[in-house]
Amino acid sequence: MLTEPTISHSTRTAKLQRSNDADVAYLRQALELAREAAAAGEVPVGAVVVHDGDIVGTGANRTLRDNDATAHAEMLAIRAASDTLGSWRLDDCTLYVTLEPCAMCAGAIVLARVHRVVFGAWDVKAGMGGSVGDVLRHPRLNHRPEVSAGLLEGECGAVLREFFELRRPK
């Protein structure tokens, strides 16, 4: 179940203060992608990559449809952004995602040099943005994106909870 990790209130508040109206708008677009994924029977996670105010990549989970364990929303959005920008380096980009990235996605974010990550719901079972571990800000890695966590947390978490409630036996 999605619950909040143990993080000091002051740390979390400081992160949220960096968010703005544009962050909310882009994360809401990621939420729409998550809802589309749910309608297709996929775990409802959506991601949007923004560069200079323009959306340059989007993704929604497609692991079942593509029969591909790497077809997470973040991975697809990063691939699309790289294609759009003609570069694997996304150092001037922000990634908006409805769920805290897993280890694979966090690794791809670091390798793609994404400047900033904004995520909604925490994932205490697999999250690597501060819940289970923190690949995104690991001090030994050569790149550490800025992270804003918990934006629209309630909405993002509700989409996931509703999806799983419909699939769990009662």
Side-chain angles (χ1 to χ4, degrees):
M1 187 54 74
L2 297 169
T3 57
E4 189 173 315
T6 305
I7 291 183
S8 74
H9 180 68
S10 61
T11 300
R12 190 163 169 212
T13 302
K15 289 178 187 169
L16 287 176
Q17 287 175 345
R18 293 185 197 143
S19 298
N20 56 41
D21 291 341
D23 288 342
V24 170
Y26 292 126
L27 193 54
R28 286 200 189 284
Q29 290 187 34
L31 262 168
E32 284 307 310
L33 292 166
R35 289 183 181 103
E36 290 172 17
E42 299 280 355
V43 173
V45 178
V48 172
V49 176
V50 175
H51 178 261
D52 288 339
D54 294 321
I55 294 176
V56 294
T58 63
N61 275 1
R62 293 187 55 94
T63 55
L64 298 173
R65 288 178 281 180
D66 293 356
N67 197 31
D68 179 358
T70 69
H72 288 198
E74 301 95 310
M75 300 294 285
L76 298 172
I78 287 169
R79 289 177 193 148
S82 293
D83 285 345
T84 299
L85 297 173
S87 175
W88 63 270
R89 293 184 69 107
L90 303 178
D91 42 12
D92 292 328
C93 295
T94 298
L95 172 75
Y96 296 88
V97 62
T98 57
L99 181 65
E100 179 182 2
C102 70
M104 174 183 66
C105 295
I109 290 164
V110 169
L111 292 172
R113 311 295 197 272
V114 173
H115 172 72
R116 183 168 174 248
V117 177
V118 178
F119 69 82
W122 294 94
D123 185 350
V124 297
K125 291 185 178 182
M128 286 293 157
S131 289
V132 174
D134 199 346
V135 171
L136 294 176
R137 293 169 287 197
H138 194 284
R140 303 235 8 224
L141 296 178
N142 64 337
H143 176 73
R144 288 176 296 284
E146 178 183 329
V147 177
S148 294
L151 184 64
L152 301 179
E153 180 178 5
E155 281 183 68
C156 293
V159 169
L160 286 154
R161 276 189 300 280
E162 290 165 11
F163 176 82
F164 287 112
E165 284 171 2
L166 292 172
R167 282 153 183 78
R168 289 188 181 123
K170 296 185 187 215

